[in-house]
Amino acid sequence: MNGIFSFSQSSMRDLHKAEVLGSKRGLMSWRPQYRSSKFRNVYGKAASRELCFDGIPITKNVHDNHFCAVNARFLAIVTESAGGGSFLVIPLEQTGRIEPNYPKVCGHQGNVLDIKWNPFIDNVIASCSEDTSVRIWEIPEGGLKRNMTEAALELFGHSRRVGLVEWHPTTNNILLSAGYDYKVLIWNLELGEPVKMLDCHSDVILCMSFNSDGSLLATACKDRRLRVLEPRSGKVLQEASCKNHRVNRVVFLGNTKRLLTTGVSRWNTRQIALWDQEDLSMPLTEEEIDGLSGLLFPFYDADTHMLYLAGKGDGNIRYYEIGSEKPYLSYLMEFRSPAPQKGLGVMPKHGLDVSACEVFRFYKLITLKGLIEPISMIVPRRSDTYQEDIYPMTPGTEPALTPDEWLSGVNRDPILVSLKEGYKRNSKVVFKAPVREKRSVVVNGIDLLENVPPRTENEVGQPRSGNGKLGMGKWEWGWENGNGKMGMGKWEWENGNGMGKWEWEWENGNGDGRMGMGKWEWENGNGKTGMEWENG
C-alpha cells in the first residue's frame, strides 16, 4: 500500500509539474513573434536643441505633403512666403538658428507643393508648384549665397497645379510628376520633355511609389482606387476599389512583392492594410491604429524590414517589423513626443551614422516652433565594431540605367554598396540641362497646353498655362492737370513658353507740347534681347 501510495504521490507531482510546464509553454506560444527580433529594442533619440535647425518660417500650406527633403549634404524646407513660392536649402552642418534673410530658392510664381532630391546627384532638386510647373534646381557647392530665381530646367506640361514629384529609383534623369489635371507625366530630363502620359486616373493622385527596380508604379487616388501600373506602357496591371479602406498613402515594401497602404476605415479610424501586388482583390491583413484624424505617413526601410508610421498633427512615430508569414505585421515600439509634426524628411542610408548603430533618421517639421528636429532610430549595441547584421548592402548613388535603356524596357536592380567604411563616395553623374527651342508639348498625340480645363477655386489668381501663355498682366497709370496732360504711364508684362516681354512708356507734356518720352522693351525668345530708350 505504501509503495502504491508513494507511487501515486510521485505521479501526482509529475502530473502537476507537467501541467505547470504546459501552461508556461502555452503562455510562451501566444507571445508575439517580434520578441525574438534584433530590432525589438530600437529606440528614437531626438537631437539636442543646438543640433536642430531653428527660426525657419515653415509653410502653413494644408496640402498633405512633407514639405521637406534631405540628403547627405543638404536639408530643403518649403517656407511661408508672400507672393510666389520658395524653399530653403541649408547645408546639414549649418545647425542652430537660421537668419530671417537667409537666401531662398524663389523662382516659382505659386506655392511650392513638393520637393525631392535627385538620388544620384546630391545638389540637384526637383520642385513642383501651383503655378503648373516642375522645376529642376542646381544648388551651388556650399549652399546658397543669394536668392536663386533661375532654374536649371523648367518643365511645363500640366494644365493645373502639380502636387507630386518622384524620381526613378534606378535610372538617372527620369522624373514623374502628378497634377490636379489627373495626369502623371514621365519626364526625360536629358531632353527636357515628357515622354509618356498616364491618364488612367479619374481624380487627384494622392501618392506615388516605385518598386525597388522602378519597373512598377503604385498610385493612391482620390477616387478611392489603388492601382499598380507599368509606367512605360501605361497599362493598369492591378486595381482595387477600396470601399472599406479609403487609401491615402501607398508604399512598395522593397522587393517583397507587397504593398502597404494607410487610410481611413468605414468607422473613420486610421487604418493600415497589406496587399499582394499581384492580387489586389483583398488585402492580406488590415489593422486599425487609432481614432485620430491626421494623415498617416508610411516609411519603409527595406534593409531592416521595418515600417514606420508617423501621424500628421501628432508627435508619435510607431514602428513595426514586416514578416513574410502571418501575422505579417509585428508591433515593436513607439517614439512619443508632445510636439506635433507637419511633415518628415528621411535621410538616405548612406548619410546615417553607422558608428552609433543608427538605422533611420527623420527630420521633423514643428511649425509652431519654426523648428526642424532630427530624430535618430538606434539599435542598442554594446560593441563599437561595425554591425553587419543591421547594415546589409544598400542602394548607393550610382544609377543602374540610362533613360534610353529604361524607356526601351530594360529593368535593373539598384547598384548596392556597403556602409562599412562610412560610404562617402561622390557620384560621377553630372546634370546637364538641355537646350530647347520653345514649342508645344505633345504626348500621345495630345498637346498638353491646349484645351485647358477650368481652374478650381484654389487655383484662381495663379498663373495658368493655356495656348503657350503662362501669365499676362497689364497695369496703366495716368494723371492729368488742367487742359494739358502732365503724365501718362503704361506697363505690360507677358510670359509664355519661355518668352518674356516687358514694355514701359512714359510721356510728359505741358499744354500741347511733349517734354519727353521713354520706352523700354525686353524680349527673350529665339536668342533675342533688346533695349530701347527715346527722349524728345
Side-chain angles (χ1 to χ4, degrees):
M1 289 289 292
N2 290 338
I4 294 173
F5 181 75
S6 63
F7 174 78
S8 300
Q9 277 188 327
S10 62
S11 299
M12 290 175 65
R13 282 196 299 269
D14 291 342
L15 182 62
H16 178 68
K17 186 177 180 181
E19 287 175 353
V20 171
L21 288 173
S23 64
K24 286 183 177 180
R25 289 191 187 101
L27 284 169
M28 292 176 68
S29 65
W30 61 260
R31 284 181 180 176
Q33 294 180 5
Y34 69 79
R35 295 292 183 185
S36 61
S37 168
K38 57 187 149 189
F39 302 109
R40 67 185 182 275
N41 293 321
V42 169
Y43 65 95
K45 181 181 179 182
S48 58
R49 189 65 182 242
E50 58 267 19
L51 296 178
C52 296
F53 301 84
D54 199 2
I56 295 175
I58 301 169
T59 180
K60 296 181 175 62
N61 196 309
V62 296
H63 192 72
D64 284 331
N65 268 347
H66 293 294
F67 300 110
C68 177
V70 63
N71 63 16
R73 292 177 60 192
F74 297 108
L75 172 69
I77 312 105
V78 179
T79 58
E80 189 73 10
S81 60
S86 63
F87 58 94
L88 287 170
V89 176
I90 307 169
L92 285 183
E93 63 272 11
Q94 193 173 332
T95 56
R97 187 159 191 86
I98 305 300
E99 295 300 321
N101 58 351
Y102 192 88
K104 294 182 174 70
V105 179
C106 50
H108 281 286
Q109 277 83 45
N111 291 326
V112 176
L113 299 180
D114 196 14
I115 49 176
K116 294 278 173 62
W117 288 105
N118 187 320
F120 309 114
I121 312 174
D122 53 12
N123 68 327
V124 171
I125 189 170
S127 64
C128 62
S129 166
E130 290 182 351
D131 66 7
T132 76
S133 73
V134 177
R135 304 192 186 208
I136 310 299
W137 309 86
E138 197 166 2
I139 307 301
E141 292 293 326
L144 299 175
K145 304 302 180 187
R146 60 184 64 87
N147 284 351
M148 177 177 281
T149 57
E150 295 294 325
L153 191 57
E154 297 181 5
L155 307 172
F156 295 98
H158 290 282
S159 56
R160 289 185 180 174
R161 57 181 171 170
V162 188
L164 297 169
V165 287
E166 194 72 41
W167 293 93
H168 193 278
T170 64
T171 308
N172 189 35
N173 283 334
I174 291 290
L175 178 73
L176 271 67
S177 62
Y180 276 60
D181 52 7
Y182 313 156
K183 294 178 177 64
V184 177
L185 295 183
I186 302 177
W187 300 88
N188 182 352
L189 301 187
E190 290 184 353
L191 304 176
E193 295 178 349
V195 292
K196 184 67 183 176
M197 178 177 67
L198 310 178
D199 57 355
C200 57
H201 301 88
S202 60
D203 210 325
V204 176
I205 297 105
L206 302 174
C207 182
M208 298 187 293
S209 175
F210 274 111
N211 65 345
S212 57
D213 66 357
S215 61
L216 297 176
L217 178 73
T219 63
C221 184
K222 206 171 180 180
D223 62 8
R224 298 196 178 192
R225 291 184 180 272
L226 172 66
R227 295 174 176 88
V228 175
L229 314 171
E230 206 295 315
R232 286 162 292 200
S233 66
K235 183 180 179 182
V236 179
L237 303 178
Q238 289 287 327
E239 185 173 324
S241 179
C242 307
K243 297 179 180 178
N244 298 329
H245 172 74
R246 191 166 70 248
V247 175
N248 290 324
R249 289 292 180 272
V250 59
V251 62
F252 266 103
L253 300 182
N255 55 6
T256 62
K257 295 189 176 182
R258 289 191 181 144
L259 296 164
L260 185 123
T261 59
T262 67
V264 181
S265 72
R266 63 168 70 180
W267 297 281
N268 285 331
T269 58
R270 295 198 293 191
Q271 189 181 49
I272 58 176
L274 190 68
W275 306 79
D276 182 348
Q277 73 180 34
E278 296 175 351
D279 181 12
L280 298 184
S281 58
M282 283 281 291
L284 296 174
T285 184
E286 292 179 334
E287 185 170 324
E288 292 191 10
I289 304 300
D290 55 33
L292 299 179
S293 59
L295 184 74
L296 271 180
F297 293 117
F299 303 90
Y300 180 67
D301 181 0
D303 295 345
T304 61
H305 305 293
M306 286 179 64
L307 170 73
Y308 300 87
L309 297 177
K312 182 179 180 180
D314 58 76
N316 303 336
I317 302 174
R318 299 172 175 84
Y319 37 105
Y320 300 74
E321 191 168 13
I322 306 288
S324 57
E325 299 176 354
K326 290 184 178 181
Y328 302 118
L329 293 166
S330 300
Y331 175 77
L332 293 175
M333 215 178 292
E334 184 173 4
F335 170 80
R336 292 180 175 271
S337 168
Q341 57 225 3
K342 183 180 182 66
L344 294 157
V346 173
M347 173 66 74
K349 277 286 181 173
H350 57 268
L352 299 179
D353 184 1
V354 295
S355 63
C357 296
E358 184 183 35
V359 292
F360 217 75
R361 189 191 304 165
F362 294 100
Y363 284 78
K364 175 179 174 179
L365 276 64
I366 306 174
T367 310
L368 298 177
K369 298 180 181 179
L371 188 73
I372 311 295
E373 179 184 57
I375 300 171
S376 297
M377 310 306 294
I378 296 172
V379 180
R381 295 286 172 93
R382 292 182 179 178
S383 174
D384 293 333
T385 59
Y386 180 71
Q387 306 292 315
E388 292 191 14
D389 60 325
I390 61 175
Y391 294 116
M393 299 285 282
T394 192
T397 57
E398 293 295 326
L401 292 170
T402 64
D404 291 339
E405 287 175 330
W406 183 75
L407 291 169
S408 67
V410 179
N411 294 322
R412 199 170 292 158
D413 288 331
I415 296 176
L416 304 180
V417 297
S418 171
L419 302 178
K420 187 170 184 177
E421 303 303 327
Y423 182 79
K424 297 292 182 185
R425 195 172 81 189
N426 292 325
S427 174
K428 298 176 183 178
V429 182
V430 178
F431 178 75
K432 292 182 180 179
V435 178
R436 297 178 297 165
E437 290 185 5
K438 303 304 174 184
R439 57 184 181 272
S440 59
V441 181
V442 179
V443 181
N444 298 353
I446 302 171
D447 190 340
L448 299 178
L449 297 179
E450 288 186 353
N451 303 320
V452 183
R455 290 181 290 176
T456 61
E457 292 181 2
N458 292 333
E459 294 169 315
V460 172
Q462 298 296 336
R464 63 185 291 178
S465 174
N467 296 327
K469 288 186 180 178
L470 178 65
M472 191 164 100
K474 182 176 179 182
W475 289 263
E476 291 188 1
W477 172 76
W479 180 70
E480 186 174 332
N481 187 1
N483 294 324
K485 288 185 177 178
M486 295 297 294
M488 189 166 85
K490 183 179 179 184
W491 181 62
E492 293 186 358
W493 175 76
E494 181 178 335
N495 185 3
N497 261 348
M499 291 180 65
K501 183 175 179 182
W502 287 262
E503 184 176 309
W504 177 71
E505 293 183 0
W506 177 75
E507 183 178 332
N508 188 4
N510 187 0
D512 293 331
R514 288 185 178 177
M515 295 297 293
M517 187 166 128
K519 186 177 182 183
W520 178 71
E521 291 187 359
W522 176 80
E523 183 176 337
N524 186 4
N526 298 325
K528 197 185 288 186
T529 304
M531 180 171 171
E532 186 179 306
W533 180 76
E534 180 182 332
N535 188 4

